[in-house]
Amino acid sequence: MAVPAGQATAGNGLNDIKAPLPMRLRVFKITDEGTLELLPDQKLHASWQQDPVQRWIDIERPGETELADLLAPLGLPNNILKACLDPARTVRFISRRNAIYMEVAIHPGWDRPIKPYISVLCLKTTIITIHRDIEGGIDDHFRDLDSDSPFLVHNTLSLLYFLMVEIGARNVEAALDVREEAEAMEQATRADPITLDPRRIAALRQRVSHCAAVHDNNAYCAAALGTVENEVVHASHPPAIARETVRLSEMAGSLIEGAEAKVAAVQQEYELAVQHRLENRLRFLTIISAVFLPLTLISAVYGMNFNDLPAMHWEYGYLVVIGMMLTTAGVTGAFLYWRGWFE
């Protein structure tokens, strides 16, 4: 039996137990050429903060205890260490003299109650990324870091901004996708709004809300990072790529606002169509009631228990009354049609 990604099975039969995969730790060196080189290290060392080597440490699926043991040699500030170890989201941004901590939202899981995010810890010569969700990996963010696309500045801050730009670009792509879906739904609404499934509108509204939440989180992190002045963000601050993060954030925000407006317009058109359809049905029921009201009156009169009713004992009385009722219904219907009630 195939094992889903990110899970292992123990036992067999109906009592199989799904066990999480173990923590994966990878240490990369930022070379003088501005590319990434995988190192054999499997533990973190305090001496890394004094040597000139710029490193990226990627930690995937850590347990709280093993993560605490892994980070212990770095001597992190208490509030940053607590934020790193907490499996739930705590704070979006913390800046200290020699460390910056951010919780950067990502897009997978828009329809899940718990939204995935990446914890990013940036030290003077080391950047650490922690992602607890199997769908929250960042391998693909760094897929282009080869000899053809090196960093402009060969340090961890440049790597941090590269990550922020990559996530910002994903925000723009997600916003473009949801904007295109909103435009397609808007065109379908113009053709025949009543045929739209309200569940599709609700799902699209949820996606837009998720995109907005991710954008707001990352826009805050990008803005806060641009105002920090400490040992991590210093004179080597790459202004061009920092401006790129802000520009991408503004672009994603504009697209999301457009998608929100289109979804709201689709929702309004659908509600108006439903209301119009309901009004038409109520109008039809009103017309039926108006046509049959005189017939009800005639039948009520001839249903009275009196012996002296006109034409009571006349052999053609039944046919005459039926003809009178049909004539009354026809005249009433013609009058309502003339007044435009059937339009």
Side-chain angles (χ1 to χ4, degrees), residues 203-271:
L204 182 57
R205 183 182 292 276
Q206 188 178 4
R207 283 187 60 190
V208 172
S209 177
H210 172 70
C211 286
V214 172
H215 164 262
D216 293 344
N217 180 96
N218 295 339
Y220 166 71
C221 290
L225 187 61
T227 62
V228 168
E229 185 66 30
N230 58 14
E231 293 181 3
V232 178
V233 181
H234 41 73
S236 62
H237 190 134
I241 198 168
R243 288 193 297 269
E244 184 70 10
T245 61
V246 177
R247 188 184 68 83
L248 287 172
S249 177
E250 293 174 350
M251 183 183 300
S254 177
L255 290 170
I256 291 170
E257 288 178 0
E260 287 177 336
K262 289 186 178 297
V263 172
V266 168
Q267 181 75 30
Q268 185 177 10
E269 288 290 334
Y270 176 77
E271 291 175 353

Side-chain angles (χ1 to χ4, degrees), residues 78-97:
N78 290 333
N79 56 344
I80 291 183
L81 180 61
K82 181 180 178 181
C84 291
L85 298 180
D86 196 332
R89 298 196 70 169
T90 53
V91 292
R92 265 60 175 181
F93 191 93
I94 302 176
S95 174
R96 291 296 179 264
R97 181 178 60 84

Side-chain angles (χ1 to χ4, degrees), residues 5 8 48 52 130 140 195 212 228 251 262 264 297:
W48 288 356
I130 306 169
D140 51 349
T195 59
V228 168
M251 183 183 300
K262 289 186 178 297
L297 176 61

